[in-house]
Amino acid sequence: MTDLPVKGCRTIELQVMGDDRGSLIAIESATGLPFSIARAYFIFATRAGVARGFHAHRNLRQWAVCVSGACSVLVEDGGNCCTVRLDRPSLALEIGPMIWREMHDFTDDAVLLVLADKPYTPDDYIRERDAFFTMTTANSK
Ligand code: T46
């Protein structure tokens, strides 16, 4: 696991179990997932040049894995920012609460699998960047 300069975010190298039939990766608490999965979704067929996200969550933890192809994820905590290129199925990105995220540079074959610790809750989204920064600044005082 590698902590990122952004609070509550880290990358995790997942163990690949391979044999002469191919490869398999398991994600569960025993392999480092720090929450119970309440929801899984995946993003695919993203059109060329399209970026997604542009929001934060008040109270959500997620792991994102690009199980096919590649995409980039920008994460920002209100002070620090970094971009992770998810380019292999063995690399997971953990995104904690109160993190602004933007996903971009999807390859044609990208499938971004996301595991979340809560059900879909529209009220949990912070979609205005200025409001996000106001909230993170207030929390850091
Ligand atoms: C996130 C990033 C990484 C649902 O009905 N249920 C769901 O669980 C989700 C995630 C979405 N939706 C609906 C809501 C919208 O009508 O699917 C549509 C697309 O969702 P959204 O525009 O929020 O997608 P992204 O790619 O901007 O963001 C998603 C997640 O919403 C978000 O939580 O962290 O992926």
Side-chain angles (χ1 to χ4, degrees):
M1 291 185 192
T2 305
D3 286 332
L4 298 175
V6 174
K7 286 192 290 233
C9 294
R10 55 190 178 149
T11 55
I12 303 99
E13 274 297 338
L14 303 167
Q15 188 189 348
V16 181
M17 286 167 282
D19 56 32
D20 54 9
R21 298 168 298 170
S23 302
L24 184 153
I25 293 173
I27 299 178
E28 59 175 324
S29 57
T31 60
L33 185 71
F35 55 82
S36 298
I37 299 168
R39 176 170 54 111
Y41 59 91
F42 44 95
I43 294 167
F44 62 101
T46 304
R47 294 211 311 274
V50 166
R52 307 183 60 119
F54 298 92
H55 59 254
H57 285 278
R58 288 179 174 78
N59 187 20
L60 185 70
R61 276 174 100 181
Q62 301 192 113
W63 271 26
V65 182
C66 209
V67 295
S68 168
C71 71
S72 296
V73 184
L74 174 151
V75 285
E76 192 169 8
D77 61 15
N80 295 312
C81 178
C82 71
T83 297
V84 177
R85 185 73 176 159
L86 295 176
D87 58 0
R88 53 192 185 278
S90 59
L91 180 64
L93 170 64
E94 181 171 331
I95 308 176
M98 291 303 291
I99 300 296
W100 189 263
R101 81 284 319 269
E102 300 174 9
M103 300 89 79
H104 57 91
D105 290 332
F106 287 82
T107 58
D108 287 347
D109 57 346
V111 180
L112 180 64
L113 170 68
V114 184
L115 309 175
D117 73 344
K118 307 242 171 10
Y120 179 57
T121 310
D123 287 348
D124 189 59
Y125 285 70
I126 304 164
R127 295 193 177 276
E128 286 171 20
R129 196 172 159 79
D130 287 350
F132 169 71
F133 278 99
T134 302
M135 291 168 79
T136 53
T137 306
N139 286 344
S140 66
K141 279 183 184 160

